[in-house]
Amino acid sequence: MKGYPRRFYYWLMAAFAGLGVSGLVLTPTTLMLRFDTSLAWRIAAESRVFVAAVHAACGFVVSWIFGALWTVHIRAGWRQRRQLGSGLTLASALLGLILTGVGIYYLASDAWANAAAGLHVALGLGGIAVFGWHAWKGHRLRRRAARD
Ligand code: HEM
């Protein structure tokens, strides 16, 4: 990634991985407790608090990284019209995840909190797929540029 310190890329990958994995681990509990879904497994209640704390902390780090990406990476991609589809989809999913994350914390009505959690999980699962797509396309572009 041009314009960033070398280690930035690894921090970005670690924060996204921590966020995605902790989100996936929390998902069965959300589906079972908020949407009455019957599943074979969910994390034990004692461990859930720890995983939710890791998740929220990774969410803060990813939001900070998103701000750093906005100033160079996103603006450069926008100007050069590179990876527009996957980039815009990913940025929108991240904004939606941040907003619904706040909703999970602060919406007082159960119905609205459940709706925010449902949307959060849907955006999270979609966001993981789009992140993979965006990173894979970027990797291919860099390899092609190195060959030419
Ligand atoms: C920038 C991205 C994200 C931010 C800022 C974020 C933030 C948050 C916050 C603040 C919470 C509340 C934690 C708590 O319960 O104490 C939460 C819960 C949750 N997040 Fe995320 N998250 C993000 C991405 C994801 C992703 C990628 C997934 C993957 C599916 C995910 C799945 C979940 C689930 C299942 C919950 C529990 C919802 C509930 O209370 O039932 N999140 N998230």
Side-chain angles (χ1 to χ4, degrees):
M1 278 174 70
K2 279 190 193 143
Y4 291 92
R6 197 181 171 76
R7 291 222 173 105
F8 180 83
Y9 178 78
Y10 299 107
W11 282 108
L12 181 154
M13 285 297 178
F16 272 95
L19 186 72
V21 170
S22 58
L24 289 175
V25 171
L26 294 173
T27 297
T29 310
T30 300
L31 296 178
M32 288 168 98
L33 298 189
R34 290 190 190 272
F35 299 101
D36 260 344
T37 313
S38 135
L39 295 171
W41 178 87
R42 75 175 155 108
I43 192 169
E46 318 81 81
S47 319
R48 191 198 176 277
V49 178
F50 173 72
V51 177
V54 170
H55 184 72
C58 289
F60 286 127
V61 176
V62 165
S63 306
W64 167 70
I65 286 175
F66 186 37
L69 290 175
W70 191 270
T71 54
V72 180
H73 182 74
I74 295 177
R75 287 173 56 183
W78 180 261
R79 267 203 301 271
Q80 293 161 22
R81 295 286 182 264
R82 249 187 314 132
Q83 296 243 64
L84 265 193
S86 60
L88 277 176
T89 314
L90 188 56
S92 313
L94 278 174
L95 278 176
L97 282 163
I98 293 168
L99 290 175
T100 50
V102 173
I104 292 169
Y105 269 143
Y106 295 111
L107 284 170
S109 115
D110 275 355
W112 281 106
N114 287 349
L119 191 55
H120 190 82
V121 169
L123 285 170
L125 297 177
I128 291 172
V130 178
F131 179 77
W133 175 39
H134 187 76
W136 177 72
K137 277 176 67 188
H139 181 70
R140 260 192 0 180
L141 280 174
R142 274 196 307 278
R143 273 217 335 222
R144 199 177 304 150
R147 261 205 321 264
D148 297 341

